[in-house]
């Protein structure tokens, strides 16, 4: 793989850490790659929407849709006090800006 080169994706990536995605190479073959963990450092560009989540030991949070998300999606049963909550749609659509959750 070359840096700063555009590659066509073979299929939709599996959206979890360690999930596979495939890129077509110039010779028509494809290469399997693995999603890395995503870390946002204080001096890096931050995602546009981040909810500040409470510590997991303090709230009721459960993994949902474990089969399809490989345990990477959660539901929070407690209220959040983050001001961003009031600006979000009640139902998310495919073209909505992603919302990330930040643990303390």
């Amino acid at each position: 793989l070359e840096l700063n080169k555009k590659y066509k994706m073979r299929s939709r990536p599996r959206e979890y850490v360690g999930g596979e995605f495939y890129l077509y190479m110039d010779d028509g073959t494809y290469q399997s790659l693995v999603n890395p963990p995503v870390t946002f450092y204080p001096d890096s560009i931050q995602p546009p929407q981040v909810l500040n989540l409470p510590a997991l030991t303090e709230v009721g949070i459960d993994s949902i849709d474990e089969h399809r998300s490989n345990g990477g999606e959660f539901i929070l049963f407690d209220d959040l006090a983050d001001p961003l909550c009031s600006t979000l749609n009640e139902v998310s659509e495919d073209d909505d800006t992603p919302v990330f959750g930040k643990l303390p």
Side-chain angles (χ1 to χ4, degrees), residues 3-64:
L3 291 175
N4 299 321
K5 179 178 178 180
K6 289 185 179 183
Y7 291 92
K8 184 176 178 183
M9 296 195 81
R10 179 174 178 248
S11 59
R12 185 175 175 89
R14 296 184 181 185
E15 298 176 356
Y16 54 87
V17 172
E20 291 180 307
F21 65 98
Y22 301 89
L23 299 178
Y24 281 110
M25 301 294 109
D26 291 336
D27 63 1
T29 62
Y30 58 89
Q31 184 171 347
S32 170
L33 300 163
V34 176
N35 289 330
V38 177
T39 303
F40 298 102
Y41 298 101
D43 60 344
S44 66
I45 296 174
Q46 301 296 308
Q49 298 189 92
V50 178
L51 285 171
N52 291 302
L53 300 174
L56 295 180
T57 56
E58 299 172 5
V59 296
I61 189 169
D62 285 332
S63 179
I64 59 171

Side-chain angles (χ1 to χ4, degrees), residues 59-93:
V59 296
I61 189 169
D62 285 332
S63 179
I64 59 171
D65 200 8
E66 290 181 25
H67 178 71
R68 295 189 67 206
S69 73
N70 206 30
E73 292 186 18
F74 300 90
I75 188 167
L76 178 69
F77 292 103
D78 295 336
D79 292 337
L80 288 177
D82 194 303
L84 177 60
C85 291
S86 63
T87 68
L88 301 174
N89 295 330
E90 289 187 24
V91 177
S92 62
E93 302 292 340

